[in-house]
Amino acid sequence: MVRDVLKSFPLFADLDDEELTDIEKIVMTKKFSKDEIILYQFDPGDSLYMIAGGRVKVVLFSKDGKEVLLSTLGTSDFFGEMSLLDGMPRSASVVALEDSELIVLKRRDFLDLIRNHPEIALKILTELSRRLREADRKIGSLILMDVYGRVARLLLDLAEKEGKKINGEIVIEKRLKHKDIASMVGASRETVSRVLRDFAQSGFITVDNKRIIIHQSGTDIENKI
């Protein structure tokens, strides 16, 4: 049931079953295939999207088709809230990284919802503040750190957000492609490959086809920041 999925979202953590049932009546679910574009930059912002399953990436596309990866989002994350709050067009495009299922809440229903449950608006503002702080840190990294520091910072961020502790090590199960890491840290794919290879040779990490493992000794990677 959609109501059971809604319970997993921090936005609705404080609502009871009756209130969740009311929300269930006004949302819809949509499925997107891997690499399918969910929304385009500059589209009208008329919906909030919540990820019930799968992963997406938030990107900017240049006129020549170059892609700049801003962030990745997974289950229980949400996006599209900025346009709902200010009524402006979408600030970025969102693309499915894998087959994904999303719960969609229209703007008019969203506004009614936060009027009745202002705590939801507070949680959205808290998340917006967190993302702004993260953006400030990324901008600072691009300006102040060398490429080793920027890659190290990204690995630590991924470890905090998506990593699992296994036998004293941190495992990132769904690692980003080198070209995506390069896009996020403002470097070439070749440079990122060299940095990751140096980290692996130094014993900080192990990289295989699908995972990045940060070793216990890999905490020294912070010295690269």
Side-chain angles (χ1 to χ4, degrees), residues 2-207:
V2 173
R3 184 184 63 186
D4 295 327
V5 177
L6 290 171
K7 287 182 180 179
S8 67
F9 289 95
L11 288 178
F12 307 130
D14 299 327
L15 304 185
D16 59 31
D17 286 344
E18 183 177 348
E19 290 168 327
L20 289 170
T21 299
D22 289 339
I23 297 174
E24 183 180 21
K25 296 175 182 177
I26 60 175
V27 299
M28 66 184 76
T29 58
K30 289 188 176 181
K31 293 184 178 181
F32 294 86
S33 301
K34 180 181 178 181
D35 296 326
E36 186 175 355
I37 296 180
I38 299 168
L39 57 84
Y40 290 89
Q41 184 181 7
F42 305 126
D43 277 353
D46 64 348
S47 299
L48 173 71
Y49 292 82
M50 298 167 282
I51 305 173
R55 296 171 69 232
V56 307
K57 60 181 178 180
V58 183
V59 297
L60 298 175
F61 293 111
S62 65
K63 291 182 179 179
D64 60 3
K66 183 179 179 181
E67 178 184 302
V68 177
L69 178 60
L70 300 180
S71 65
T72 61
L73 302 171
T75 302
S76 295
D77 284 329
F78 61 88
F79 58 91
E81 73 286 345
M82 288 177 59
S83 293
L84 286 191
L85 293 172
D86 63 15
M88 300 294 288
R90 301 295 188 187
S91 60
S93 299
V94 179
V95 183
L97 279 171
E98 56 190 51
D99 292 348
S100 300
E101 183 174 2
L102 306 180
I103 295 176
V104 185
L105 178 64
K106 291 293 185 180
R107 187 173 192 266
R108 61 180 181 275
D109 296 320
F110 169 80
L111 294 176
D112 287 340
L113 183 63
I114 61 175
R115 290 188 188 103
N116 295 325
H117 301 283
E119 68 274 17
I120 293 177
L122 181 59
K123 290 179 181 179
I124 289 177
L125 291 173
T126 299
E127 176 63 15
L128 280 173
S129 296
R130 186 194 67 78
R131 293 182 185 182
L132 283 172
R133 290 180 185 276
E134 183 177 333
D136 286 344
R137 187 171 64 178
K138 286 181 179 178
I139 293 170
S141 297
L142 289 172
I143 296 173
L144 301 175
M145 293 181 183
D146 62 14
V147 66
Y148 280 85
R150 299 199 297 271
V151 173
R153 178 74 268 166
L154 178 60
L155 290 178
L156 292 176
D157 287 344
L158 289 173
E160 181 179 353
K161 183 178 180 181
E162 303 180 15
K164 298 179 180 178
K165 288 188 177 181
I166 301 176
N167 298 326
E169 299 176 327
I170 301 176
V171 179
I172 303 170
E173 293 284 357
K174 299 178 180 179
R175 72 177 180 87
L176 295 171
K177 297 178 181 178
H178 288 192
K179 68 179 183 67
D180 291 331
I181 295 176
S183 177
M184 295 183 79
V185 302
S188 69
R189 181 170 60 182
E190 293 76 15
T191 298
V192 166
S193 297
R194 184 180 72 247
V195 170
L196 292 174
R197 184 169 60 249
D198 288 350
F199 283 168
Q201 290 174 350
S202 298
F204 297 156
I205 65 173
T206 295
V207 181

